[in-house]
Amino acid sequence: MRVLVINSGSSSIKYRMFNAEDFTVLAAGLLERVGEADSRLTHHWLSASGEYGETVYDRQIQNHREGLMLVDAALAESGSLGSLSELFGVGHRVVHGGEVFHKPTLIDKTVIEAIRKLIPLAPLHNPANLAGIEASMEHLPNVPQVAIFDTSFHQTMPQHSFLYALPYELYTEHHVRRYGFHGTSHQYVSKKAAEHLGKPLEGLNIITLHLGNGASAAALKGGRSMDTSMGMTPLEGLMMGTRCGDLDPAIHFYLWRSSGISNEGLESLLNHQSGLRGICGVNDMREIQHMADQGNPRALLAMDMFCYRVKKYIGAYYAVMGRVDAIVFTGGIGENAPRIRKGACKGLDPLGILLDDEKNESRSKDVFEIQRTEGSVRLLVVPTNEELEIAQQTVKKILPSTAEKS
Ligand code: ADP
């Protein structure tokens, strides 16, 4: 039994195929530049010897449907994985589920139309995700397919947490509210943390910090999202690689009045030219650390600002939950940058958040703890795995529905 996870972008298809029983990765790949003359598929597969092989296919791929046909051909060429039509199921990552989708959902025509209706909330992402879904439904009409939404995990937030202090009608008539993103990652790492701590998730209060190029924090009570830093869009909250995070909305009007910048110009400024890049010119944290080591003051400032924001959210979510059992660091930065973890926890001793400098320097592919023994809050580094979470949720969703049919 095999399950395929598809993360479809506007000009790319990322996929990972798992054994649906033990969730071993059987194959994975990335098709880039769909619709251009120089499309490229880089395909990896698990060989009989237990090693992963790699094949690169350079050929023009016009659209997502042709892309899936190439993935199918690549799978057929790489050993005994069979064809995509023999799959147990397909899980699709979908960025925005609005208030419509609270959980993994079996895809049919109605679901596709509902995702399409949500395009105004995620004009860049949902159409790209839909392109992958529609191609896959057409190519594999007999395989059950499930949509897993980035937003659905946060649908448990209470109104006082997800509403903006705007006229209430903007919520009821225009769906203006906080939705939150990275839900699959927050959910996955919180489950892993509970497993590691040997305690039921239902009894734990956890702050999860997904710190990657995009970054978000979440306050999870008993495994349910109470609050999260990203908002109606993924622009709000923490400082990110190129996104500004929290901002006084009046800056928008000020810039428009003083420089005549257009809406499109502002959208690009806040999404692509801000965050770490806005402060020091670079958005990659590894490079920024290197620049800081060379004494670059802007790189140091960017790191300080990044840590300061994370710390502010830890404080806020501590207050929201009243008691915190664990703080989880994940994402490229959260998993690999001890300096950032240290900066984020600095000065939080009165809250029982005590980082152990030596443990903080450890590296592992598994969960590890970085708090001092006298700290009351467990500090964990948990590698995220959104594809695995999607695969597991897909199997869980399909199993009862196939049992019902038989
Ligand atoms: P996304 O999935 O949002 O694109 P990732 O979760 O892959 O991003 O995280 C990317 C970020 O992680 C980059 O800023 C990168 O520099 C940072 N990162 C990865 N490895 C390290 C490392 N060893 N030290 C510091 N930062 C790292």
Side-chain angles (χ1 to χ4, degrees), residues 9 30 52 54 59 84 86 159-160 187 194 252 254 256 273 298 304-305 329 341 354 361 378 384 396:
L30 173 65
Y52 284 93
E54 180 185 289
R59 69 185 65 159
L84 287 181
E86 295 158 29
Q159 257 204 353
H160 63 254
Q187 185 171 15
H252 190 132
Y254 171 78
W256 171 66
Q273 307 301 327
R298 292 282 196 88
D304 284 349
M305 288 174 67
F329 290 89
R341 296 194 294 253
L354 280 83
E361 293 295 330
R378 309 278 283 269
T384 195
K396 211 166 145 194

Side-chain angles (χ1 to χ4, degrees), residues 212-214 283-286 289 331-333 336-337 363:
N213 205 21
N283 65 294
D284 190 288
M285 189 57 89
R286 273 168 297 202
Q289 289 186 347
I333 297 172
N336 301 300
R363 289 196 167 274

Side-chain angles (χ1 to χ4, degrees), residues 84-147:
L84 287 181
S85 58
E86 295 158 29
L87 283 171
F88 174 71
V90 181
H92 293 271
R93 177 191 178 213
V94 182
V95 167
H96 219 305
E99 287 191 326
V100 182
F101 296 106
H102 295 223
K103 48 183 199 293
T105 305
L106 273 172
I107 304 175
D108 58 18
K109 281 198 178 120
T110 321
V111 169
I112 290 180
E113 285 322 306
I115 297 173
R116 206 186 306 285
K117 272 201 183 145
L118 293 167
I119 286 177
L121 289 175
L124 296 179
H125 293 103
N126 274 26
N129 302 152
L130 268 177
I133 290 177
E134 290 187 300
S136 177
M137 295 287 280
E138 203 179 321
H139 188 57
L140 308 167
N142 299 317
V143 178
Q145 316 216 12
V146 179

